[in-house]
Amino acid sequence: MAKAKKVIGHRTLGITIIAALMIIFGLAEIATGFTHNFFGISTANTLTSTIVAVIIGGFYLVAGLLILTMRRLAAEIAIVLLIADIVGRIGLVVVGFYPINSTEQDSSIIIGTAIAAIFAAYIWLKLKLFA
């Protein structure tokens, strides 16, 4: 009997959903960087805050697009971009560009950062699927 070959580079539903969410969340983060307010979540209204928030939102967006390619190097770069997004978010909190001033604000920062970390871990665990 012939052994079944493992399909490499085949996009699963989970990877497609994660990529779509990363693109959507990246666009939302970019919008928040420009408007300084998104569904009640606020950022400091400074040029530096805008630039940094837009850059880390761009990391999220590009990471989602890279995942869709189903290339291993692209997935590895996406993981690095997600880690940069996480570090950037923490940095924005530390310097006060993401104010910690309400339960809603605090929760959204913590949950949003945790989601980015979960996405990075998921992609890392699925690297064998990328060609």
Side-chain angles (χ1 to χ4, degrees):
M1 267 192 194
K3 209 175 197 184
K5 288 185 179 181
K6 183 162 111 176
V7 177
I8 297 177
H10 175 70
R11 189 178 313 123
T12 65
L13 181 60
I15 290 170
T16 303
I17 290 169
I18 294 294
L21 288 173
M22 289 166 56
I23 292 166
I24 292 166
F25 294 166
L27 290 170
E29 205 162 343
I30 290 168
T32 303
F34 284 119
T35 63
H36 305 287
N37 195 335
F38 191 76
F39 291 115
I41 307 307
S42 64
T43 64
N45 193 359
T46 67
L47 180 60
T48 305
S49 172
T50 299
I51 292 168
V52 175
V54 168
I55 289 171
I56 65 174
F59 288 167
Y60 221 156
L61 172 68
V62 171
L65 293 171
L66 287 170
I67 295 307
L68 291 174
T69 69
M70 291 309 296
R71 298 288 183 203
R72 185 178 180 94
L73 178 59
E76 291 167 345
I77 293 169
I79 292 168
V80 170
L81 289 173
L82 286 170
I83 292 168
D85 180 275
I86 293 164
V87 170
R89 287 168 175 263
I90 292 168
L92 286 170
V93 169
V94 169
V95 298
F97 290 152
Y98 276 0
I100 304 292
N101 55 10
S102 71
T103 303
E104 182 182 27
Q105 180 87 3
D106 302 354
S107 298
S108 70
I109 293 167
I110 292 166
I111 292 167
T113 305
I115 289 170
I118 291 166
F119 288 169
Y122 181 85
I123 295 162
W124 182 72
L125 291 171
K126 299 292 184 180
L127 272 178
K128 65 183 176 282
L129 297 176
F130 292 83

